[in-house]
Amino acid sequence: MERLQKVIAEAGIASRRKAEDLITSGKVKVNGEIVTELGTKVSRKDRIEVNNKPIEKQQKEYYLLNKPRGVVTTTKDEHHRKTVVDLIPTNTRIYPVGRLDYDTTGALLLTNDGEFANILMHPNDKVEKVYMAKLNGIIKGEQINQLKDGVEIDGQTVQAARVKLKKVNDKNNTCMVQITIHEGKNHQVKKMFESVGFQVEKLKREKVAFFDLKDLQSGEYRKLTPKEVAKVYALEQK
Ligand code: URA
């Protein structure tokens, strides 16, 4: 659900401020009824009219990117570094759904659909994020259990839904661990491993919700199918 004034502004009819004036002066109808309350929430299924004319909803776009290293997850970088949005040629103002660090690679969704982004970013048991981490040491069963039982980062307890040791390299004293989490706190995976004594040397997100990197090389992207978009809407917790 999105705020009515935002939807009107995004349709290109008026600025956000002007959209608010249109609402308070009774020029806006939702499903045939005049709505004057600012902040009324509407969904993409609602029929919105301004001055008795239905608004043209902004064309929604949805992408899955295999983010390479050395790219910032933002729409504009003050240090003029390359951003994830620069990798996708479109005239629409898309933005990333959540964040991957500058040196993290892997699955990242981008869209101009705020409702879609909210569903994926809101803590939801059905939205898993699966990461592969290379650690500067070899993790023990006891530390894996600590991650699953809950560790404290930034004063909050977070749990890994699953942790699997995938590969051990005795010679280099490193290992590869797959970790699945539900939240998306800042630097969460790195901080979780730090809390049990490891530095993450490399981090890749293999999957977010049901989107994996099948057929996408680093730096490549694809559009989501309407079916995939509908499947994300079906994840919404009532
Ligand atoms: N956790 C991290 O520490 N970094 C990321 O980029 C994503 C999750």
Side-chain angles (χ1 to χ4, degrees):
M1 303 284 272
E2 282 187 305
R3 291 160 81 84
L4 184 54
Q5 56 265 47
K6 179 162 181 259
V7 175
I8 294 171
E10 280 179 355
I13 289 173
S15 65
R16 190 79 68 96
R17 181 72 240 290
K18 190 81 202 299
E20 289 177 357
D21 291 344
L22 287 166
I23 296 168
T24 49
S25 58
K27 302 278 174 31
V28 177
K29 283 186 193 162
V30 177
N31 302 324
E33 303 261 332
I34 292 175
V35 168
T36 53
E37 195 171 325
L38 291 178
T40 298
K41 295 280 181 75
V42 288
S43 87
R44 62 186 184 149
K45 292 186 204 110
D46 290 317
R47 195 163 38 83
I48 299 156
E49 290 164 84
V50 175
N51 289 324
N52 296 317
K53 272 200 223 120
I55 64 166
E56 292 275 336
K57 295 211 182 112
Q58 188 192 41
Q59 199 61 36
K60 302 293 187 197
E61 294 188 9
Y62 308 88
Y63 299 92
L64 173 63
L65 170 71
N66 185 350
K67 178 193 173 294
R69 271 171 167 251
V71 179
V72 211
T73 306
T74 175
T75 50
K76 225 183 205 157
D77 183 52
E78 54 185 36
H79 306 295
H80 307 290
R81 291 173 299 181
K82 197 174 225 184
T83 74
V84 287
V85 168
D86 294 333
L87 299 175
I88 300 178
T90 172
N91 293 325
T92 310
R93 279 201 274 162
I94 56 167
Y95 47 84
V97 179
R99 249 184 66 155
L100 290 179
D101 295 336
Y102 190 64
D103 58 353
T104 300
T105 61
L108 181 71
L109 293 161
L110 296 103
T111 185
N112 58 347
D113 181 347
E115 203 175 339
F116 174 93
N118 277 340
I119 294 170
L120 291 166
M121 282 165 55
H122 202 79
N124 181 332
D125 283 351
K126 294 180 216 149
V127 180
E128 290 191 338
K129 289 140 193 152
V130 183
Y131 292 87
M132 185 64 79
K134 181 180 177 191
L135 306 185
N136 69 336
I138 298 166
I139 199 165
K140 297 195 182 76
E142 191 186 310
Q143 291 157 320
I144 289 179
N145 287 339
Q146 265 177 284
L147 290 166
K148 291 200 265 196
D149 291 344
V151 290
E152 197 170 303
I153 62 167
D154 302 328
Q156 273 184 304
T157 303
V158 287
Q159 276 178 302
R162 285 188 295 284
V163 184
K164 289 183 193 160
L165 176 60
K166 289 289 196 181
K167 224 192 218 169
V168 170
N169 187 332
D170 286 314
K171 211 166 105 208
N172 295 342
N173 192 36
T174 59
C175 71
M176 302 296 294
V177 181
Q178 190 187 56
I179 181 165
T180 303
I181 57 174
H182 288 295
E183 316 92 333
K185 300 190 189 307
N186 245 353
H187 313 302
Q188 183 167 337
V189 173
K190 290 177 185 168
K191 286 180 179 169
M192 287 177 81
F193 281 115
E194 253 168 48
S195 76
V196 292
F198 296 98
Q199 291 297 315
V200 173
E201 293 186 345
K202 268 189 185 169
L203 188 62
K204 179 178 189 172
R205 182 152 70 185
E206 297 184 324
K207 201 170 171 192
V208 52
F210 47 84
F211 296 100
D212 62 27
L213 292 168
K214 206 168 12 150
D215 303 330
L216 283 184
Q217 299 301 311
S218 175
E220 288 185 344
Y221 65 90
R222 70 170 177 85
K223 280 194 169 181
L224 304 192
T225 64
K227 231 182 183 167
E228 287 173 324
V229 175
K231 211 167 150 190
V232 169
Y233 271 94
L235 294 173
E236 193 169 20
Q237 285 186 334
K238 297 283 177 288

